[in-house]
Amino acid sequence: MEVTASNFKSILPDVEKAINNCTFLSIDLEFTGLDLVRNINAFDTPEQYYQKLRRNCKEFLVIQYGLSIFRYDEEKDIFHNETYNFYIFRRPINHNIPDQRFLCQTSSIHFLVNEGFDFNKLFKEGISYLNVVEEEKYRNELEEANKKVTDSIHSQQNGTNDVIPIPPDAKEFVDNVVGQIEEFLQSDQVELQLPKCNSFLRRLIYQTKSEKFRDRISVETRKMDNKDRILFVTRLKSKVEEAEMQKQKYEEQLSELDAFVGFTKVLRMVVNSGKLVVGHNACLDILHSLDKFLNPLPADYEEFKELTHSLFPKILDTKYMSSLEPLVEHISSNVLKNLLESVSKEPFEIPDVVIEEEEVGYSLKDEKEHEAGYDAYITGLSFLAMWKYLGSLSGVKGAEIFTNFDLLQPYINKIYLMVLIENQYMNLAGEDLTVSKDHVFYLTFPKEWKMNNIVQLFSPFGNVYVSWLDDTSAYVGLYKRDQAAIALSTLSQSDTYSIMTFARRQALLMGTQTPFASPIKKRKSVEGQPAAKRRKTNSGSFSMSKRSIDPIVEDEEEPAEPEESSSKKVFMEDQAWE
């Protein structure tokens, strides 16, 4: 079901009821850009990975949020489903909450347009949102402003208002306003719009109103469509009525704030429910869900993990789940579309799923890939098929499978990290996997070198994994780890290239810069894929595919902006990121 600002309020109670009664829910997000590959290093730690994605989250916006809600019926052994596709676009609020910049990648926008994304609907009817910090700031400002006005009304009644002397250069303007108000009171006009003026002159007008007109008029500041703040004068019979008008205005402002909070309410429902949240390649989805709608992402990695786990105590990433035994041996590719194809045939079986209402769901015949709601739906179906398969392997049958969450424990709160080798993951509920980098070297070389030069250099020590940094440097990982010491000793003496251990390079990056770091940022070909997808050939070497990526920016205190690349840009919605 498509949800925009026009029907958001009316469907919200149904969404809340479905969330509270569900077995689990799955999510998917669409963004204005990704721009990830150029930053991720195959040998990054999960913490380094997080820091790079955190910067990415600050650059791009969420424009569509898919929420697919699954409820298991034990008696009938079927799942009921409701799926919502929310269009997300923050409205301009006021000077206290700055407008968000609409930063995007043209490749992402071009891709979404070709997939049928309706940007007119997004801009005209997108649902607004505020995270907790933004809402609290706005609410506090409203309360403070209301208190000032209320106190002003009481102080006027008690004659305790502080008087500001009117400067000579403002006297003519104030006198002119007084004349207009006097004419207004003699007329049958309903209200009077005063001339545009700055905040100081508005303060003088409010003061003059109290001194000269007392209980005769009310003055109100209104924000116009062009964002000008204009004073309006209306007749007032009593201070009681003025106080009542202020109370009504404050209530209207709170109601407006509630509308600005918008989609954030849905995420708060999910948090309050404590239900299992399922995503596919969910790291970026989780980061954006927190940063945009809940709490800004902490700078500290461990604080981020603690925050995420406190808000979403049960998260499952189907990309991580499908990359492990016993599932991975039956799944040729865990790109979302391919994963669905794999689990739609033996030995998997998708359980029966029925849509609660026709307009509140999808079917597989819709084939609306890259629509957030549809992708959330097929993520949920893929998860169900894998869950059922795990149950069959454990000898669990029928309704007992989908009430047995113990089957899912190996996969809960472990988030898949694309590009990283050694099958690393982000563990939201404990310590991350510690992976030795003793077999990894930092290599610098002439600009003319290609992949073959590096492979040939290390050929006496077996196959290698190369992660390019720029035209003249790369990280090189040995497949045969026991050859690391010999390789370093053998290759250390050369005027053509330079080599050092991964650990030493990281230590230098955290301390002083080295002359090895090259400022050139161009795209290179990298051979490799995640460890879970590597296969041994008959010769015992890696079988790795080639793909083009942006150069990797190593973690430094202030990472340099990447320069323009002369090579062909790879679209960030590449299937590898699904």
Side-chain angles (χ1 to χ4, degrees):
M1 179 180 186
E2 285 193 346
V3 185
T4 63
S6 60
N7 65 343
F8 176 70
K9 189 174 182 179
S10 64
I11 64 96
L12 207 53
D14 293 334
V15 173
E16 183 173 24
K17 180 180 178 181
I19 290 173
N20 290 334
N21 294 330
C22 76
T23 304
F24 73 95
L25 51 90
S26 54
I27 64 171
D28 183 83
L29 283 66
E30 295 294 336
F31 314 108
T32 59
L34 296 174
D35 196 23
L36 297 175
V37 180
R38 69 179 176 88
N39 288 328
I40 303 300
N41 186 302
F43 298 104
D44 278 343
T45 64
E47 180 174 0
Q48 291 169 328
Y49 195 99
Y50 165 72
Q51 295 297 348
K52 292 174 181 179
L53 262 64
R54 178 176 177 268
R55 290 195 289 267
N56 179 274
C57 283
K58 301 299 181 183
E59 294 180 350
F60 299 113
L61 302 181
V62 176
I63 53 177
Q64 206 173 63
Y65 203 111
L67 180 66
S68 194
I69 307 168
F70 293 82
R71 177 176 60 85
Y72 184 55
D73 186 331
E74 292 186 44
E75 291 185 5
K76 298 180 180 180
D77 190 24
I78 61 172
F79 276 89
H80 297 268
N81 175 257
E82 297 178 37
T83 301
Y84 299 89
N85 190 50
F86 298 89
Y87 281 83
I88 310 295
F89 189 68
R90 181 139 105 191
R91 301 295 161 197
I93 302 175
N94 60 26
H95 65 286
N96 296 314
I97 306 293
D99 287 354
Q100 282 191 322
R101 293 187 177 185
F102 190 88
L103 185 63
C104 66
Q105 287 175 278
T106 55
S107 54
S108 293
I109 302 302
H110 176 73
F111 176 84
L112 290 173
V113 168
N114 287 339
E115 292 293 325
F117 192 96
D118 191 339
F119 279 94
N120 283 330
K121 182 176 294 185
L122 172 72
F123 298 143
K124 291 181 179 178
E125 301 183 59
I127 305 164
S128 193
Y129 60 90
L130 293 173
N131 64 34
V132 171
V133 173
E134 292 167 333
E135 180 190 0
E136 184 177 1
K137 178 182 178 182
Y138 192 8
R139 190 178 299 278
N140 289 341
E141 287 165 352
L142 290 181
E143 290 177 356
E144 184 178 349
N146 178 63
K147 185 176 184 302
K148 284 182 179 179
V149 175
T150 303
D151 290 346
S152 175
I153 293 172
H154 292 311
S155 65
Q156 290 168 25
Q157 290 175 328
N158 299 326
T160 59
N161 229 18
D162 293 331
V163 176
I164 301 174
I166 299 177
D169 59 350
K171 189 175 186 308
E172 181 179 353
F173 177 83
V174 173
D175 289 342
N176 179 52
V177 167
V178 169
Q180 291 185 47
I181 294 175
E182 289 175 341
E183 290 181 8
F184 164 72
L185 291 173
Q186 298 300 318
S187 69
D188 57 0
Q189 290 178 261
V190 176
E191 66 178 14
L192 169 66
Q193 178 178 330
L194 296 179
K196 178 182 175 182
C197 58
N198 59 36
S199 58
F200 178 70
L201 292 175
R202 289 197 297 271
R203 174 68 180 87
L204 292 178
I205 292 172
Y206 274 105
Q207 174 179 287
T208 302
K209 171 256 184 187
S210 301
E211 294 175 342
K212 293 183 175 295
F213 299 101
R214 294 267 174 192
D215 300 339
R216 301 171 63 192
I217 64 170
S218 174
V219 178
E220 176 187 6
T221 302
R222 298 179 193 172
K223 187 176 180 180
M224 312 303 285
D225 292 338
N226 62 1
K227 298 187 178 180
D228 286 342
R229 303 175 73 83
I230 303 296
L231 293 177
F232 285 81
V233 178
T234 56
R235 291 177 176 81
L236 190 65
K237 295 181 180 179
S238 68
K239 291 294 181 183
V240 174
E241 185 175 341
E242 185 174 5
E244 185 61 33
M245 288 179 63
Q246 173 56 27
K247 179 182 177 182
Q248 182 179 348
K249 177 183 177 181
Y250 180 55
E251 290 173 351
E252 290 173 354
Q253 290 173 329
L254 291 178
S255 177
E256 186 181 53
L257 169 59
D258 186 68
F260 285 136
V261 172
F263 180 75
T264 300
K265 297 175 186 177
V266 176
L267 265 293
R268 290 176 184 172
M269 292 173 185
V270 174
V271 169
N272 292 335
S273 74
K275 302 291 185 177
L276 171 65
V277 176
V278 178
H280 184 80
N281 202 16
C283 190
L284 202 56
D285 292 343
I286 293 169
L287 265 63
H288 274 286
S289 293
L290 262 67
D291 192 60
K292 300 299 188 296
F293 312 113
L294 298 171
N295 290 77
L297 292 172
D300 181 77
Y301 174 60
E302 292 300 328
E303 185 180 342
F304 155 74
K305 288 173 52 174
E306 183 179 348
L307 171 65
T308 304
H309 189 53
S310 68
L311 295 174
F312 302 105
K314 291 176 291 187
I315 296 177
L316 188 144
D317 189 335
T318 52
K319 191 147 184 124
Y320 176 78
M321 183 181 186
S322 60
S323 70
L324 299 182
E325 300 290 351
L327 300 164
V328 68
E329 63 184 78
H330 303 292
I331 298 170
S332 58
S333 167
N334 61 4
V335 170
L336 183 56
K337 179 181 179 180
N338 298 341
L339 176 61
L340 179 64
E341 292 176 358
S342 294
V343 301
S344 298
K345 54 191 178 185
E346 294 184 348
F348 299 100
E349 180 185 3
I350 299 176
D352 292 332
V353 178
V354 297
I355 300 172
E356 291 280 16
E357 298 180 26
E358 186 174 348
E359 67 274 13
V360 191
Y362 294 88
S363 74
L364 291 177
K365 295 179 182 179
D366 292 327
E367 296 185 351
K368 294 184 177 181
E369 292 177 50
H370 301 289
E371 183 169 289
Y374 181 77
D375 283 353
Y377 172 65
I378 63 176
T379 294
L381 294 183
S382 301
F383 164 64
L384 284 174
M386 291 190 288
W387 192 358
K388 186 169 185 177
Y389 178 69
L390 292 174
S392 66
L393 290 181
S394 301
V396 183
K397 297 181 180 179
E400 295 180 4
I401 294 177
F402 300 114
T403 57
N404 188 346
F405 284 84
D406 290 339
L407 295 169
L408 305 175
Q409 283 307 311
Y411 317 103
I412 297 289
N413 294 321
K414 295 179 175 66
I415 306 303
Y416 193 86
L417 301 180
M418 281 296 300
V419 178
L420 299 195
I421 63 172
E422 309 293 350
N423 202 27
Q424 291 188 72
Y425 55 85
M426 184 183 291
N427 187 358
L428 297 176
E431 295 293 328
D432 290 326
L433 181 67
T434 301
V435 178
S436 171
K437 302 291 196 306
D438 292 344
H439 65 300
V440 181
F441 303 100
Y442 174 72
L443 184 72
T444 62
F445 41 79
K447 186 175 181 180
E448 294 75 23
W449 275 33
K450 306 298 180 185
M451 176 69 76
N452 288 339
N453 299 100
I454 299 176
V455 172
Q456 184 177 359
L457 178 66
F458 284 87
S459 59
F461 315 104
N463 289 281
V464 295
Y465 185 106
V466 180
S467 180
W468 292 86
L469 297 172
D470 51 48
D471 272 1
T472 61
S473 63
Y475 285 123
V476 182
L478 296 182
Y479 171 66
K480 296 180 179 179
R481 293 170 178 256
D482 59 356
Q483 295 292 303
I486 300 174
L488 180 62
S489 175
T490 304
L491 302 177
S492 290
Q493 302 299 322
S494 175
D495 295 330
T496 305
Y497 61 83
S498 175
I499 187 171
M500 70 173 67
T501 63
F502 181 88
R504 184 185 173 204
R505 174 59 179 171
Q506 292 298 304
L508 289 172
L509 285 174
M510 290 189 294
T512 59
Q513 293 295 318
T514 74
F516 298 147
S518 169
I520 301 173
K521 304 293 179 186
K522 291 187 179 179
R523 202 178 303 254
K524 281 284 186 179
S525 294
V526 170
E527 296 185 0
Q529 56 188 27
K533 290 299 176 186
R534 294 201 297 265
R535 296 286 186 263
K536 270 192 175 182
T537 64
N538 292 334
S539 63
S541 63
F542 282 131
S543 173
M544 299 181 281
S545 60
K546 289 186 178 182
R547 59 187 177 87
S548 178
I549 66 167
D550 279 316
I552 293 164
V553 179
E554 294 183 273
D555 271 354
E556 300 172 6
E557 291 190 12
E558 292 294 336
E561 289 294 325
E563 297 180 4
E564 288 293 327
S565 172
S566 59
S567 57
K568 182 179 180 182
K569 187 168 181 63
V570 175
F571 172 55
M572 294 301 142
E573 288 275 1
D574 188 284
Q575 287 187 341
W577 290 91
E578 297 181 355

